[in-house]
Amino acid sequence: MQRRAVLLHAAWAAAAFLPPGRGAAAVLAPRPLEFPRDFGSHPDLRTEWWYVTGSARSGAREFGFQVTFFRSRIDGTQALRSAFAARQLIFAHAAVTDLQGRKLWHDQRIARAGMGVASAGETDTALHLRDWSLVRGADGYRASVATGEFTLDLHCAPTQPVLAQGDAGLSRKGPAPDQASYYYSEPQLATRGRLQLQGQAFEVTGTSWLDHEWSDVLMHPDAVGWDWIGMNLADGGALTAFRLRDRAGAALWSGGSFRRGRGSNGSLGAGAAGTARGAVGTEGGGLRVFSPGELAFEPLRRWKSPASGATYPVDWAVRTPAGRFTVKALLDDQELDSRGSTGSIYWEGLSELRDERGAPVG
């Protein structure tokens, strides 16, 4: 694959898929991530998601893709005994960006957990929603999605240790102690499989990224959006950066991390060789975890969706302790309308990362 074309910039709407509150939320305690248990679901907490996003090629044809599962706990039904009670809801989104065809294809699913329709396994990643699935095996993840317009059957194999985000996997998302999630990533997943688009089949290879987060109260009450990048770097490294913003566009909180690649000499920035902490494993000798206030997102170019009327930044300048970068969408129209499931409309898609000299680095 051409390493210049990977992941992701996402501008979230407010977390509309979160269920109503149940009163005071528990403050998540720092704890070591435990695997394989933490690959699985955590139904005692309100919100959880598994994101697999990446890029893939078939000859000269280049694609982006997303397979995402969400779990949402419904507090008011937990005491009900009926098998039909919606104690947990499972949502799923899938998308394919066809760069040659200049089009994003996407679909969505929603169902209550149980009755053989939807489930989220607790001992390992085992997500099922009707005919969609994401399952972890001994050699990696298998993602399977079938829609009327496209299908994905992909195998995503780890090439690096798990990357624990934040403080050993506890990632703050706001100034209050309860505004946090348990969060780990698996960058640089070696990806291969089959993609079918409008009846045309492609054998594809590429690189993907998995994010898994679970939380009770994720965001500050004044937060209305979430900007995030996860970049597989050409040297094998990984860059994560995010901010939560208010209605005025100001950052309420920010964070992220930089993991050096095997061939990196720290040239992406003075902070690249920072202290390694918060990682289950590191590549190239170091992980730098970013503190609030160390990042800045500056929109450079915007695109207005003809479908929703929403306006999104599609090119960004991003300043991090690992360096200054430009993020450029490889297709402007990568808006996903998920009002049929999670209730939000958001932008997420295939993007290129460039360094200060304008050279592609991820």
Side-chain angles (χ1 to χ4, degrees), residues 171-184:
S171 172
R172 290 286 294 271
K173 296 300 192 299
D178 63 347
Q179 294 160 6
S181 66
Y182 295 115
Y183 177 18
Y184 68 84

Side-chain angles (χ1 to χ4, degrees), residues 240-265:
T240 310
F242 66 85
R243 67 168 184 172
L244 288 88
R245 50 185 161 75
D246 61 18
R247 293 188 182 277
L252 288 164
W253 196 261
S254 62
S257 65
F258 171 72
R259 174 191 272 179
R260 287 194 295 171
R262 288 188 177 92
S264 173
N265 60 5

Side-chain angles (χ1 to χ4, degrees), residues 139-141 154-160 186-192 208:
D139 59 348
Y141 296 89
L154 301 174
H155 179 262
C156 304
T159 63
Q160 301 178 356
E186 293 196 64
Q188 301 287 353
L189 294 168
T191 302
R192 57 178 173 79
S208 55

Side-chain angles (χ1 to χ4, degrees), residues 3 15 19 26 43 56 58 69 78 105 161 173 196 210 256 266 284 301:
R3 296 284 182 158
S58 178
F69 282 81
Q78 297 304 305
W105 304 85
K173 296 300 192 299
Q196 187 167 315
L210 181 140
R301 184 174 66 87

Side-chain angles (χ1 to χ4, degrees), residues 139-158:
D139 59 348
Y141 296 89
R142 172 81 177 272
S144 180
V145 167
T147 79
E149 301 290 349
F150 65 90
T151 64
L152 291 167
D153 187 4
L154 301 174
H155 179 262
C156 304

Side-chain angles (χ1 to χ4, degrees), residues 9 298-302 312-317 326-330 332:
H9 150 253
E298 179 188 355
L300 299 178
R301 184 174 66 87
R302 300 177 186 269
Y312 303 94
V314 288
D315 290 358
W316 292 86
T326 303
V327 179
K328 299 183 69 66
L330 296 181
D332 285 355

